[in-house]
Amino acid sequence: MLAQRYQIVVLLGLAALCSCYLLLPLSASYLLASRLRDSGYSNVILQLSYPGWTRMRIPVVSFQQDLGEERLMVSLTDAEIRYDLGQLFQGRVRQILLRDAAIHVLTVQSAEPTAHDGRDTDQSDDGESPWRLLTAGDLLRSLPILPFDELQLDHLTIFREQATGPLRRVTIDGNLTYSGREVGGHLVFRGRDTASYGLAVVGHSASTWSVTLASQRPQAAPIVSLQSKAHPNGAQIQVNGRLQVNVQELAPFIALLVPIGPELERVTGEVSIDWAGIAAAEAALSSLWKDERTHLDGNIRVHVTLPALKGVAKDIAVAYDGTFGGNATQAEWAMNPGVLLTATVNAQPRIIPEAVRLILPHGDQPVRIENTQAVQGALYWKETPIRTVAEGPLHVTYGRTPGPLVAQFEATRVEGLGNELVLAEGAYDLEGILPKAVTELLSAKEAMGGVQGTVKLARTHVRGVLLPPSSVTAKQIGQGPTLIPSVTLNLSEPLTIECDLTAIRCSGGVLIATIRAPTVKFSGRNIHIAQGVLKVQGAETTKTAWAAQGTLSMAGVSPVSGSWWPATSDWIVKFSADQGGIKADLRVDIPTHEGFVIAAIEQPLQTAQGAAHGVIGPLTFNGTDRRLSKMIMGLPHATDLIDGMFTVNVDASWSSAFRDRITMMNGVSATAKVVAEKLSGQYHDHVVKGLSTTLTLHAQGLESIVTTQPAPIFVAAVQSGVDVTNLAASYQIQWRAADDLPVVEVRDFQCEVFGGTVSNPGPVVDLAKLPLTTTFSLRNLDLAKILSVEQQKGLQGTGTLNGTLPVTMTSDGIIVKDGVIEAQPPGGIIRYASTSDSSKILSDSDRQLQLVAQALNNFQYSLLRVGVKYGETGILDLNARLEGRNPDLQNTPPIHFNLTVQEHIPTLLKSLRLVEDIQGAIERKYRRPL
């Protein structure tokens, strides 16, 4: 019975062992595949065969992993592991045989949001940057490699889609052995249409090894040679080593990692590194740099030229000469003065802020990095995270010299913790023509600047200082009626700007800058500005809001000769702005009036509905220092205001975007109220006294200007040799932009002259559609007052005159046809008392003329009728009829005078003595078309 039980137990044990053996490939495959998936790999396929006493086949292993914009794909076919059972239980194998292996690195389409779809783009640039390269460390860290004594490669294919050159697809075979403290092996690399490359590795201890990469052509020089020799020194080993790289021969391998283009013959240079160090004799290779007794010093020399780096730069030259040293806690390095890098870049790295990239020129631009003094740094790799420090002036020049724009940067100190930049200090200097994107923001045709300052980054805090004499000059600013040929903004005092990148908040100090704009053209007039000052304070911006306030002052604003503008004025604009809108208050002072113009402007940024209110005056005139001629330059000759008060109130609104100036002007609705109270002054030969009017104008965009209602006007007196008093009328104006001249409607015109009145019910005068005919009525003109202005001595008269004058206004002047002036019944008296000179002339005349002279001594007329015609040439035709008699001449019959006069107006007026003997003034008055 006991024997039978033992037999059953043995059978069950054998069955269990057989079951485990049968399930071993499946369970092991599942466990290893799960471990690969947990390590970040996907699409894992793993198949194991049944293990033998000394070997096990692996038919298929396949997995992949996404690395940024590239995908790593690994596949093994018909691999074999050879082992001894004793070593296997110790976790080691004797040999790994890879008969057919392939590693493919393919480019994949990025699915991350971009700025083009309007989503957040605040992602790391590493995934999109061409500087992200796969390194051997990246690949080895991700592969599950077992400890082995020998690795044999029969056929390993490595393919990288982004790579260029003959080693884009490379085949590797050979073997690598590791036993105790010794490493040895030989690998052969073969590319497309290239010679084979051999890599020989020999390592005898932790401090003695040799690695040589060379072409297998006859008598080929080594491409990479790494030699290290050890000299015992008690319990330590003195290690001396050298690494030499023939960069030109290494070009196919560089093209495998970096897209440098097909011109591999242009790759030149060499890399040489020498070092000497101390290491413990018993230190293992894997823990060499963790041993506190390890210390290394050396120097490095790099001179490399590359034809291109696809998508980044071309004609790249790198030169580095320096020293280094390190131990288990830190590494130190120093770079000797020289030119570190020269290249022509054709893409701006995204690490550069957007505001800076907007200013920098685009396209192919040369870059030069150099240091005139030694640059030193340290790497503290014992700390967690690793801390790095670099100090020394490193100068970067971007742009052609000379060229349209040159940017220079100088870094003085940089610190980092792990992958985080925690401190950076430096200076910058930009000089030249600004790009088109900036000029469009300024609405200018050309802009140039010279900006310099310092910047400091401390983790998420940025502090920048803009230093004098930074300046920006823009040319041909504006459109429409306003044009600034040139304006220069010069910084007067340092401007500090601080930003918190975490809170996305920036604030600025006080900006004080002088403005130099010698000439501004406004509506065809040239305005000179002596000096301007811009002061901005309280500037602050956050992620969703911003605000600023300041003052713009312009002193000595005056027109160039010929312009109608205040003689000299000072302008002050106080403004405040935020994300809601912009508000500004304008004040214009002139020497004779403070607050000559006061205006307030408000422009919301959300609704685009703007408004403005402005006041000119009130301006009070006097005959001394407050004359119009002392306020305004460019007035016509003999034009002035010397008394009275003048005020203009303007209210305007618009409903279009502020940036679209033309549309905004068409959308402006404005109302202006003009008030003149008892103005007195002079216009050429006319003296005007007591002019009063209240006029309300309305403008709708650029289409038209009209008066909203009839405006009254009253003038106490107009003196031009003949006094015209109490002139009154009402008028309306309509002026469309399509018309050259306005339409003026005058109603109830009336004035007093020579004791009577001149009136007109009021025509509608379209100055663009002349001729126009209207009739003036003359009532109760006093003949005595008419004759009183006559300088002929002895001529007097009485009577009341009435009449009508049909006046036709043309573009060339005035025409009077069929005008009639008659004496009101019963007539009047004309007396002419001759002087001694005239008496002598009459005594020498004939009898008929003497009789006429006697009749005029006391001529009582019953009819006085004058027909009036006046032409554009200034010729006046008068047909006069005078009937009456002298009661002192009893025997003389009634006398009828028929007189036809055709005279040039100035000559006729002189003969009638209706004005003073100022012949030139009369000529200007009547020859000038109205």
Side-chain angles (χ1 to χ4, degrees):
M1 180 65 70
L2 184 60
Q4 186 178 3
R5 290 180 179 178
Y6 285 140
Q7 290 176 359
I8 293 173
V9 172
V10 171
L11 289 175
L12 291 175
L14 290 174
L17 290 175
C18 291
S19 299
C20 292
Y21 181 77
L22 292 175
L23 294 175
L24 180 61
L26 181 61
S27 59
S29 298
Y30 176 78
L31 292 175
L32 291 176
S34 298
R35 185 174 180 181
L36 286 172
R37 293 188 186 95
D38 294 340
S39 299
Y41 295 96
S42 61
N43 297 331
V44 178
I45 301 175
L46 179 60
Q47 181 180 353
L48 301 178
S49 64
Y50 289 100
W53 294 107
T54 60
R55 66 181 65 189
M56 182 179 68
R57 291 182 60 252
I58 304 176
V60 177
V61 176
S62 176
F63 54 87
Q64 67 183 44
Q65 185 181 32
D66 288 338
L67 302 171
E69 288 187 340
E70 292 183 310
R71 177 173 295 162
L72 170 67
M73 302 178 64
V74 178
S75 63
L76 304 176
T77 304
D78 196 19
E80 184 176 335
I81 300 177
R82 298 175 181 177
Y83 49 83
D84 295 329
L85 291 178
Q87 291 182 328
L88 186 61
F89 285 111
Q90 296 177 2
R92 297 185 58 82
V93 297
R94 178 165 50 85
Q95 184 184 40
I96 297 178
L97 177 59
L98 302 181
R99 292 189 175 90
D100 189 1
I103 300 176
H104 289 188
V105 184
L106 304 179
T107 303
V108 295
Q109 183 70 29
S110 175
E112 294 184 359
T114 63
H116 300 288
D117 57 14
R119 291 171 288 178
D120 189 14
T121 58
D122 294 336
Q123 304 291 335
S124 174
D125 295 335
D126 294 342
E128 299 179 8
S129 172
W131 294 100
R132 180 178 178 87
L133 306 173
L134 289 176
T135 64
D138 294 328
L139 300 177
L140 293 175
R141 185 181 63 246
S142 302
L143 293 175
I145 305 291
L146 295 176
F148 58 87
D149 290 339
E150 181 180 358
L151 173 66
Q152 181 176 340
L153 300 176
D154 286 350
H155 187 271
L156 170 62
T157 301
I158 299 177
F159 171 76
R160 188 181 185 208
E161 189 174 1
Q162 278 193 6
T164 59
L167 294 183
R168 188 167 184 252
R169 182 185 297 272
V170 61
T171 302
I172 305 174
D173 59 54
N175 60 75
L176 182 66
T177 62
Y178 176 73
S179 177
R181 300 169 65 91
E182 295 186 358
V183 176
H186 185 272
L187 300 176
V188 178
F189 298 82
R190 296 182 181 88
R192 184 184 60 186
D193 300 329
T194 63
S196 299
Y197 297 90
L199 176 65
V201 179
V202 178
H204 300 287
S205 66
S207 55
T208 301
W209 66 89
S210 172
V211 178
T212 303
L213 175 65
S215 173
Q216 293 190 332
R217 299 191 305 267
Q219 299 180 348
I223 300 174
V224 177
S225 176
L226 176 63
Q227 302 292 332
S228 179
K229 296 182 180 180
H231 305 281
N233 184 9
Q236 295 180 331
I237 296 177
Q238 180 76 31
V239 180
N240 296 314
R242 167 172 291 185
L243 171 65
Q244 291 182 313
V245 180
N246 187 331
V247 178
Q248 184 174 12
E249 294 292 336
L250 192 66
F253 294 90
I254 299 176
L256 177 64
L257 300 176
V258 181
I260 61 176
E263 300 177 306
L264 300 185
E265 68 278 1
R266 294 180 55 191
V267 179
T268 62
E270 62 177 359
V271 176
S272 177
I273 304 176
D274 295 281
W275 67 86
I278 298 176
E282 69 277 9
L285 181 62
S286 59
S287 60
L288 181 64
W289 288 108
K290 298 180 181 179
D291 195 328
E292 296 182 355
R293 295 166 293 180
T294 303
H295 185 80
L296 183 68
D297 293 301
N299 57 74
I300 180 171
R301 185 173 182 271
V302 178
H303 289 275
V304 177
T305 60
L306 299 176
L309 186 60
K310 187 178 179 180
V312 176
K314 61 182 180 180
D315 300 330
I316 305 168
V318 179
Y320 181 92
D321 189 1
T323 62
F324 62 89
N327 52 35
T329 60
Q330 68 182 53
E332 298 177 348
W333 57 270
M335 183 173 63
N336 297 328
V339 179
L340 176 63
L341 171 70
T342 60
T344 299
V345 298
N346 44 45
Q348 296 176 347
R350 294 185 59 187
I351 61 174
I352 299 177
E354 178 65 25
V356 179
R357 282 193 285 169
L358 182 67
I359 298 175
L360 295 179
H362 295 267
D364 291 346
Q365 297 294 329
V367 171
R368 181 184 178 93
I369 303 177
E370 61 183 327
N371 59 306
T372 57
Q373 303 177 20
V375 177
Q376 298 178 346
L379 175 66
Y380 301 92
W381 53 35
K382 193 71 172 180
E383 299 180 10
T384 304
I386 296 176
R387 182 167 61 95
T388 57
V389 177
E391 292 182 334
L394 188 63
H395 193 82
V396 180
T397 302
Y398 182 94
R400 302 185 184 277
T401 307
L405 179 65
V406 177
Q408 299 185 60
F409 308 92
E410 187 172 272
T412 56
R413 182 177 177 85
V414 176
E415 291 187 17
L417 283 178
N419 295 327
E420 180 186 4
L421 180 64
V422 298
L423 178 65
E425 297 180 3
Y428 58 88
D429 189 341
L430 285 79
E431 192 82 27
I433 299 175
L434 301 179
K436 185 178 180 181
V438 178
T439 60
E440 289 178 350
L441 291 176
L442 299 174
S443 298
K445 290 186 177 180
E446 181 182 353
M448 59 192 69
V451 181
Q452 58 185 351
T454 62
V455 63
K456 179 179 180 180
L457 169 66
R459 293 188 180 274
T460 61
H461 184 80
V462 180
R463 185 178 189 272
V465 180
L466 190 63
L467 299 174
S470 297
S471 66
V472 175
T473 299
K475 296 183 178 180
Q476 302 298 317
I477 299 177
Q479 53 184 336
T482 304
L483 177 65
I484 304 177
S486 177
V487 59
T488 300
L489 188 71
N490 291 287
L491 189 66
S492 301
E493 298 182 8
L495 171 63
T496 302
I497 301 175
E498 298 189 10
C499 294
D500 187 337
L501 303 181
T502 302
I504 313 180
R505 178 182 179 274
C506 293
S507 61
V510 179
L511 182 150
I512 301 178
T514 60
I515 301 175
R516 185 176 180 273
T519 304
V520 176
K521 293 185 177 181
F522 180 76
S523 298
R525 298 182 175 92
N526 292 329
I527 309 299
H528 173 73
I529 301 176
Q531 184 180 5
V533 177
L534 174 63
K535 183 177 181 180
V536 179
Q537 56 191 9
E540 184 176 354
T541 178
T542 62
K543 188 175 183 179
T544 59
W546 60 273
Q549 59 184 5
T551 303
L552 173 62
S553 303
M554 293 178 290
V557 181
S558 61
V560 180
S561 177
S563 300
W564 192 5
W565 198 267
T568 301
S569 58
D570 296 334
W571 295 50
I572 300 176
V573 180
K574 296 182 178 180
F575 61 88
S576 62
D578 54 28
Q579 71 279 358
I582 302 173
K583 296 181 180 180
D585 294 325
L586 168 66
R587 178 187 177 99
V588 180
D589 296 332
I590 62 176
T592 58
H593 284 81
E594 292 185 359
F596 175 73
V597 176
I598 297 177
I601 302 173
E602 184 173 352
Q603 174 63 61
L605 298 180
Q606 305 298 328
T607 62
Q609 179 69 41
H613 174 74
V615 178
I616 302 177
L619 304 179
T620 303
F621 302 98
N622 59 31
T624 56
D625 59 329
R626 292 195 171 187
R627 304 168 65 100
L628 183 63
S629 58
K630 292 185 177 296
M631 303 179 191
I632 304 297
M633 288 184 61
L635 293 176
H637 176 68
T639 300
D640 207 349
L641 288 177
I642 59 175
D643 197 8
M645 187 174 65
F646 179 81
T647 306
V648 178
N649 286 271
V650 180
D651 289 285
S653 63
W654 52 88
S655 59
S656 60
F658 189 74
R659 297 178 181 176
D660 189 352
R661 295 176 177 83
I662 300 300
T663 305
M664 185 193 74
M665 293 300 296
N666 290 329
V668 170
S669 176
T671 300
K673 183 178 181 181
V674 182
V675 178
E677 297 182 15
K678 298 180 180 181
L679 292 179
S680 297
Q682 180 181 359
Y683 179 73
H684 289 278
D685 300 323
H686 308 278
V687 176
V688 179
K689 294 183 178 180
L691 186 152
S692 299
T693 185
T694 300
L695 173 66
T696 302
L697 295 170
H698 180 73
Q700 186 61 46
L702 301 175
E703 297 178 359
S704 63
I705 299 176
V706 298
T707 53
T708 57
Q709 58 186 3
I713 183 172
F714 176 80
V715 181
V718 178
Q719 298 174 345
S720 59
V722 176
D723 289 347
V724 179
T725 60
N726 298 327
L727 186 153
S730 64
Y731 60 95
Q732 281 188 283
I733 299 174
Q734 181 178 358
W735 195 347
R736 297 187 306 172
D739 299 333
D740 295 331
L741 295 171
V743 176
V744 181
E745 181 179 358
V746 181
R747 296 294 183 188
D748 303 326
F749 174 82
Q750 183 174 331
C751 66
E752 297 179 3
V753 61
F754 297 127
T757 61
V758 177
S759 63
N760 184 287
V764 177
V765 183
D766 189 346
L767 298 178
K769 297 180 180 180
L770 297 176
L772 171 73
T773 301
T774 185
T775 300
F776 288 86
S777 298
L778 285 66
R779 293 290 180 267
N780 302 322
L781 301 185
D782 189 347
L783 180 60
K785 292 185 177 181
I786 295 175
L787 296 179
S788 67
V789 300
E790 168 60 32
Q791 293 185 351
Q792 181 65 46
K793 297 180 179 180
L795 181 62
Q796 297 178 348
T798 63
T800 301
L801 304 180
N802 299 317
T804 58
L805 294 178
V807 177
T808 300
M809 288 177 283
T810 69
S811 58
D812 296 325
I814 292 178
I815 298 175
V816 179
K817 292 183 178 181
D818 301 328
V820 177
I821 301 176
E822 295 180 315
Q824 181 175 311
I829 299 174
I830 295 179
R831 293 188 179 91
Y832 178 73
S834 59
T835 62
S836 58
D837 293 336
S838 61
S839 297
K840 183 176 183 305
I841 295 175
L842 291 175
S843 62
D844 296 337
S845 303
D846 55 17
R847 175 64 181 170
Q848 187 175 3
L849 184 58
Q850 292 178 1
L851 180 62
V852 171
Q854 292 176 0
L856 291 177
N857 284 336
N858 186 18
F859 187 76
Q860 296 181 356
Y861 63 89
S862 59
L863 176 65
L864 174 60
R865 187 175 188 277
V866 180
V868 181
K869 292 182 180 181
Y870 179 71
E872 296 177 349
T873 60
I875 300 299
L876 179 67
D877 291 328
L878 295 178
N879 296 313
R881 180 175 179 80
L882 187 65
E883 296 180 3
R885 59 179 298 171
N886 188 339
D888 297 335
L889 301 177
Q890 298 294 333
N891 298 326
T892 302
I895 300 176
H896 295 179
F897 291 99
N898 289 313
L899 179 63
T900 300
V901 179
Q902 188 178 60
E903 289 288 349
H904 192 254
I905 282 294
T907 304
L908 179 61
L909 291 178
K910 181 180 179 180
S911 64
L912 296 175
R913 297 293 191 272
L914 294 179
V915 295
E916 296 179 354
D917 191 15
I918 308 177
Q919 189 171 1
I922 298 174
E923 188 77 25
R924 289 192 301 272
K925 176 180 178 182
Y926 289 93
R927 288 289 302 264
R928 184 177 64 255
L930 299 179

